[in-house]
Amino acid sequence: MEKNSILRFLLIMAMMMLAMQIFLRLTGLGPAAPEDPNQPDHEPVTEALAQPIVIGDHEEQIIALGSYDPAQKQKYIAYFSNQGASLERLELVERSDNGAMKFSVIEFKHGYLGFLGATDHGNPPGARVRVVADGTPAALAKTKDGQTGLQFADIITGINGTTISNSSELHSILEQTHPGDQVELQIVRNDDTESVLTFFTTLGERPLEIIDPDPDKMPRREAPHSLLTSIIQIDETAAQANQVELESVASLRSSVWNYSITDQGPAQISFTIAVPLPSSTEDPSGSDGDLEITKTFRFADPTGPMPYHLDMELEFSNLSANRHSIVFRQDGPNNIVNETWWTSTAKKRDVKWKINDEEDDARGSDIFAKAKDEPEDPFESMLSPSEKGEQFYQYIVSDAQFFAVGFSTATAADQAPLKSMVLKEARTCPAESSPIVLDNNTEAAKLPNTSFFLHSRHLTLEPRQSHQQTFQVFAGPKQVELLSKYGMEGLIEYGWFRTIATLLGGILNFFFGVFGNYGIAIILLTVLIRLCLHPLSRKQVRGAQMMGFLKPQMQRLTEKYKDNPQQKTLKTQELFAKYGYNPLSGCLPVFLQMPIFFGLYRSIMVNSELRGESLIPGLQWCANLAGPDMLIYWGETSAIFINRGGFLGPYLNLLPIVTITLFILQQKIYAPPATDDTQKMAQRMMKFMMLFMGVMFFRVASGLCIYFIASSTWGLLERKLLPKVNDPEAYLEALAEKQKAKKKKPGFMQRMAQLADEQQRQKASGSDNQRRKQLDSLKGNRRRRR
């Protein structure tokens, strides 16, 4: 008996572990797999150009386009660099109807002075301002004598009476402020240290940096700017496979371009550079005139039907007297926001695309694995082996949890679709030399920064002729209605239960439209689901009670048939049949709720509308239903569990603790009384598994915790409100009479047990007959001997 109990216990453990593995795989929870120590530690190759030819000797400048002023109704402030004519930073400054930021940061909501691109300055020591965007608190700062606005090359030497010696100290002080705080800035202008200016301003609300080269609380790593352009082939001379541009011509990526800003109409900035063309393939050192490249960025109409993009127009002008052909490389975005990468509902930066109506993707971890395993060929083509030559790419984006940035071709209904993305090649690539890693947690804290690049078709440029190509750069939230306008609905991943997820998402949005609060909407959605499942869950509760009523009879069966487990099983099934009780009926509500759980999980995970929505308006706690409730900030410690890569993360979260407490309480009330040691051990293991799930759920989205809390509370109330059975024996007798009236056939398990018992009797009977034959044979032999 003891041996059988151990085997049953091990079987239960194996089934529980298998179920947990399936659960973790489906939900994407759990720590990352350990790194293979035998794998060579190669760094991915992102650039092979050693010493580029650089044009322009003046200083790199950062230019801001857009406005923080709500009256301007802009979607973005974009920060461009004239080195490489690239995009360095992109902030979402759109306002809600109440004037607040529509997409503010989730964490680190300190006061916003404006992105200043500040660098360290030695004499006098301070933070040197490199850019001031329109409408920001820095631009609105005033002195007592009426001077307005910080300016380029100003040096911030103090803030609120505290001396500033470098840009890091400036950031550290601003991190301690709040929106609405009044600050006093000490400024040295034109190196006039004898006359320090004092500016006063009110800090604003910090916008979300959808492209951010320096994420909060992450080690800064050098990575290229976004949307760089380069020449990879002129006539017959082409760059090598891992090179980002031709070595024989001036570098478009490293050179400093001339620029001009257009104030009228949509915000627009144009960069221009002239690159000497080689006179021939045999003599690339000679000059045949210039190839002039103009790169123009233009904001979309913020009030139009498709407001979340920039138009990037490239113009290649052949100023020589000969025909030339070129192929250019266009880089995608870099450093897109991934603010919830450390939570249980997060995803890493992926690359997704659509080619000839076929959608596909490359996971961020796979992009880095490819570059690490094959350093000589680190870039993965987006084309399948069967696809060759030029293809029409409908979109290619870098994809995070709630936002995406990349190229799209869809246009408004009254315009022809863009054909700019009929391309020779498109490849995914790591955007940095290696993933970002935090101390003492090298694997789980990886944050792969991935991107992609495109190769154009061969462009033939006649003498004194030019070629124009426009790319539409989408940068915005992953909202269903918005993505459908850009032809990118496939960016939202609902998983296996897409129908259920979209249905639940629709109901959730309906309740939000009525009550204006997603916390209430989730609770009402839970109540609706539990009402639909009430008949089954009520039966489950009554079934748990039945096990308590039948416990004395089952104990007697256990004692009576302790040496005959098969007979015990048969009699137990007969006992269940006598009262019409099916012990498996309690599992049905659980199985029905699993698709609902996974559907709701995916719906909350991808629903950007939940991002930044508060459970209780006005409270900082649980101010983001799409992420953990973040009750207390523990900080970025070195402990393996308490950091952004650990199981617990940098916050103490209250809702997961409440959820697991209710789970354990519900299990204690619902679980039928144990009738043997095996069931007792199984119930202890379930409690242990609940605690383990508490660790795994500690960083889960608040909205999902609210669903579990509401569902568990409903279940406890169901048990409490179920009519109490005062006389269990009378209740069982009534059930037995009811079953006799039904004349129900034996159940499947009972029939199987009866069949096994019949076979055992036949086997025993066969053994007796065989023994009689052997005795008769012995008797016959004795007679013959006589």
Side-chain angles (χ1 to χ4, degrees):
M1 178 65 182
E2 183 179 356
K3 182 178 180 181
N4 291 335
S5 298
I6 294 175
L7 290 175
R8 284 198 294 271
F9 169 70
L10 293 176
L11 179 60
I12 292 172
M13 283 291 297
M15 293 176 65
M16 290 171 60
M17 293 303 295
L18 178 62
M20 179 58 67
Q21 289 294 326
I22 294 174
F23 173 78
L24 294 178
R25 182 174 292 274
L26 288 174
T27 58
L29 302 177
E35 192 170 314
D36 184 1
N38 298 320
Q39 191 65 254
D41 188 18
H42 296 296
E43 287 194 347
V45 178
T46 56
E47 286 197 26
L49 193 63
Q51 295 181 342
I53 302 172
V54 177
I55 299 176
D57 56 359
H58 46 286
E59 182 183 9
E60 176 193 7
Q61 291 183 347
I62 300 175
I63 309 99
L65 199 66
S67 178
Y68 187 80
D69 183 1
Q72 300 295 325
K73 300 185 182 302
Q74 294 282 353
K75 300 290 184 186
Y76 309 111
I77 297 179
Y79 297 88
F80 298 95
S81 170
N82 63 344
Q83 183 174 10
S86 57
L87 177 65
E88 179 175 346
R89 185 185 189 93
L90 188 66
E91 297 176 342
L92 288 174
V93 294
E94 182 181 5
R95 306 298 177 110
S96 300
D97 294 337
N98 60 4
M101 283 288 167
K102 188 173 183 179
F103 302 106
S104 62
V105 293
I106 297 299
E107 294 184 89
F108 315 116
K109 298 183 177 182
H110 53 75
Y112 176 74
L113 181 61
F115 175 69
L116 305 177
T119 57
D120 297 345
H121 193 269
N123 187 22
R128 181 173 179 267
V129 176
R130 291 200 297 159
V131 65
V132 179
D134 177 67
T136 60
L140 300 178
K142 294 183 179 180
T143 63
K144 289 183 177 180
D145 59 1
Q147 296 188 56
T148 304
L150 272 61
Q151 298 176 6
F152 174 77
D154 280 352
I155 302 168
I156 303 176
T157 59
I159 180 170
N160 290 337
T162 302
T163 302
I164 299 296
S165 59
N166 53 55
S167 59
S168 296
E169 292 181 358
L170 172 63
H171 294 316
S172 297
I173 293 176
L174 288 174
E175 286 176 356
Q176 308 305 316
T177 64
H178 300 88
D181 287 355
Q182 301 283 331
V183 294
E184 176 183 316
L185 303 170
Q186 283 73 48
I187 302 296
V188 172
R189 180 168 290 175
N190 301 324
D191 293 330
D192 184 5
T193 57
E194 300 297 327
S195 178
V196 178
L197 301 175
T198 300
F199 282 83
F200 301 89
T201 191
T202 302
L203 297 180
E205 185 180 2
R206 185 181 171 193
L208 175 72
E209 302 97 355
I210 193 171
I211 292 179
D212 182 8
D214 191 16
D216 292 298
K217 304 301 179 184
M218 296 298 295
R220 182 173 176 81
R221 303 181 68 92
E222 293 300 326
H225 291 171
S226 296
L227 307 180
L228 286 162
T229 307
S230 54
I231 302 296
I232 60 171
Q233 184 172 344
I234 295 180
D235 298 330
E236 301 301 323
T237 304
Q240 297 179 11
N242 289 346
Q243 288 183 327
V244 296
E245 56 187 344
L246 273 176
E247 293 182 351
S248 57
V249 298
S251 169
L252 303 187
R253 305 165 74 89
S254 303
S255 296
V256 177
W257 299 44
N258 298 316
Y259 72 91
S260 62
I261 297 176
T262 302
D263 296 329
Q264 297 179 351
Q268 176 178 306
I269 184 170
S270 296
F271 297 91
T272 304
I273 193 171
V275 176
L277 285 166
S279 58
S280 65
T281 305
E282 291 77 14
D283 182 21
S285 61
S287 178
D288 187 38
D290 290 338
L291 173 66
E292 185 179 78
I293 301 103
T294 301
K295 191 174 184 179
T296 301
F297 294 94
R298 185 182 305 108
F299 283 178
D301 182 359
T303 62
M306 300 174 65
Y308 286 96
H309 71 267
L310 298 82
D311 288 323
M312 183 181 70
E313 184 179 282
L314 296 173
E315 182 175 5
F316 300 90
S317 300
N318 180 10
L319 304 183
S320 73
N322 297 312
R323 174 192 296 176
H324 289 279
S325 67
I326 65 168
V327 176
F328 69 88
R329 163 176 160 152
Q330 178 59 54
D331 285 12
N334 192 0
N335 285 306
I336 73 167
V337 63
N338 201 5
E339 56 196 346
T340 58
W341 65 271
W342 56 272
T343 69
S344 296
T345 53
K347 66 190 290 294
K348 296 179 180 179
R349 298 182 182 107
D350 303 327
V351 177
K352 296 183 178 180
W353 61 86
K354 187 176 184 180
I355 305 174
N356 300 324
D357 295 326
E358 294 291 333
E359 294 180 322
D360 205 347
D361 62 72
R363 302 300 180 184
S365 54
D366 293 338
I367 294 173
F368 262 96
K370 157 76 173 172
K372 182 177 181 180
D373 295 341
E374 303 177 38
E376 70 287 347
D377 183 23
F379 311 133
E380 185 74 31
S381 175
M382 297 180 192
L383 296 177
S384 63
S386 60
E387 295 174 315
K388 295 181 180 180
E390 296 176 358
Q391 303 289 334
F392 176 47
Y393 294 73
Q394 288 153 292
Y395 69 76
I396 309 174
V397 298
S398 290
D399 178 62
Q401 179 146 359
F402 299 119
F403 298 91
V405 185
F407 301 137
S408 64
T409 58
T411 55
D414 58 345
Q415 299 177 2
L418 293 175
K419 294 297 182 182
S420 58
M421 286 176 54
V422 177
L423 304 170
K424 178 181 178 181
E425 180 65 278
R427 291 177 176 266
T428 61
C429 64
E432 298 173 357
S433 59
S434 61
I436 292 177
V437 175
L438 295 183
D439 294 337
N440 298 326
N441 203 346
T442 56
E443 185 68 25
K446 281 185 177 179
L447 179 59
N449 184 13
T450 58
S451 188
F452 58 88
F453 60 86
L454 321 173
H455 286 176
S456 73
R457 297 178 291 172
H458 280 83
L459 306 179
T460 301
L461 302 176
E462 299 293 339
R464 318 300 180 190
Q465 298 295 317
S466 63
H467 171 84
Q468 291 183 345
Q469 192 154 339
T470 301
F471 292 90
Q472 183 173 265
V473 184
F474 173 84
K478 292 165 59 177
Q479 298 172 347
V480 176
E481 184 177 355
L482 176 64
L483 292 179
S484 63
K485 295 178 181 178
Y486 285 93
M488 299 190 295
E489 304 93 322
L491 292 185
I492 301 180
E493 299 180 32
Y494 289 107
W496 292 352
F497 304 99
R498 182 182 183 88
T499 302
I500 296 176
T502 52
L503 175 62
L504 294 178
I507 298 174
L508 189 66
N509 290 331
F510 169 77
F511 284 137
F512 173 76
V514 175
F515 296 94
N517 184 288
Y518 270 107
I520 296 175
I522 292 173
I523 294 173
L524 292 176
L525 177 62
T526 307
V527 171
L528 178 62
I529 293 172
R530 292 306 301 257
L531 277 174
C532 295
L533 295 175
H534 175 67
L536 293 175
S537 58
R538 186 176 185 277
K539 191 174 182 180
Q540 180 187 20
V541 173
R542 185 62 80 189
Q545 288 182 330
M546 279 291 294
M547 288 298 293
F549 299 157
L550 296 175
K551 182 178 179 181
Q553 299 184 53
M554 293 180 66
Q555 288 178 336
R556 289 195 292 269
L557 291 177
T558 300
E559 183 64 26
K560 182 177 180 180
Y561 299 104
K562 60 182 179 180
D563 297 327
N564 191 346
Q566 191 172 18
Q567 190 68 14
K568 173 193 167 184
T569 302
L570 175 62
K571 295 301 181 182
T572 301
Q573 293 296 330
E574 290 178 352
L575 177 66
F576 291 161
K578 177 181 178 181
Y579 299 109
Y581 170 63
N582 183 0
L584 298 179
S585 62
C587 300
L588 186 58
V590 177
F591 282 113
L592 288 178
Q593 286 191 67
M594 288 303 288
I596 296 173
F597 161 70
F598 286 119
L600 185 64
Y601 177 88
R602 295 299 304 183
S603 181
I604 290 176
M605 178 177 175
V606 301
N607 191 347
S608 62
E609 299 291 346
L610 290 176
R611 181 194 173 277
E613 287 291 333
S614 300
L615 175 62
I616 304 175
L619 288 184
Q620 291 296 321
W621 170 71
C622 199
N624 174 31
L625 293 176
D629 61 88
M630 302 187 295
L631 177 64
I632 298 175
Y633 179 58
W634 283 336
E636 309 297 325
T637 70
S638 59
I640 189 170
F641 287 105
I642 307 175
N643 59 31
R644 291 184 183 271
F647 277 110
L648 301 183
Y651 291 92
L652 169 63
N653 303 312
L654 176 62
L655 292 181
I657 297 175
V658 176
T659 300
I660 297 303
T661 301
L662 289 174
F663 277 177
I664 295 174
L665 180 61
Q666 194 174 19
Q667 180 195 2
K668 183 177 180 180
I669 294 176
Y670 271 63
T675 58
D676 54 36
D677 293 338
T678 303
Q679 291 186 7
K680 290 180 181 178
M681 182 64 71
Q683 290 182 4
R684 292 195 195 102
M685 290 306 301
M686 283 301 298
K687 291 180 181 179
F688 172 78
M689 294 300 293
M690 287 294 179
L691 294 176
F692 178 72
M693 287 179 62
V695 176
M696 303 302 297
F697 269 65
F698 197 73
R699 295 174 292 121
V700 82
S702 303
L704 200 62
C705 287
I706 293 172
Y707 165 77
F708 282 129
I709 291 171
S711 181
S712 299
T713 304
W714 177 281
L716 293 173
L717 290 175
E718 269 187 335
R719 179 62 181 262
K720 189 71 175 178
L721 297 177
L722 192 69
K724 187 176 181 180
V725 177
N726 296 318
D727 189 351
E729 293 185 1
Y731 177 75
L732 290 176
E733 185 177 349
L735 286 179
E737 292 296 330
K738 187 176 180 180
Q739 285 300 113
K740 286 181 182 179
K742 287 184 177 180
K743 297 181 180 180
K744 186 178 179 181
K745 295 182 179 180
F748 174 76
M749 294 299 295
Q750 187 179 5
R751 293 199 302 271
M752 293 299 294
Q754 290 175 347
L755 180 60
D757 187 61
E758 181 64 27
Q759 291 177 346
Q760 187 70 23
R761 286 199 299 269
Q762 291 178 357
K763 183 178 179 180
S765 176
S767 299
D768 292 340
N769 293 336
Q770 186 68 24
R771 192 175 295 109
R772 291 193 190 94
K773 291 181 181 179
Q774 291 176 353
L775 291 174
D776 291 342
S777 176
L778 290 173
K779 291 178 181 179
N781 291 336
R782 292 193 189 100
R783 292 192 190 99
R784 284 195 291 273
R785 290 194 190 100
R786 292 174 184 170

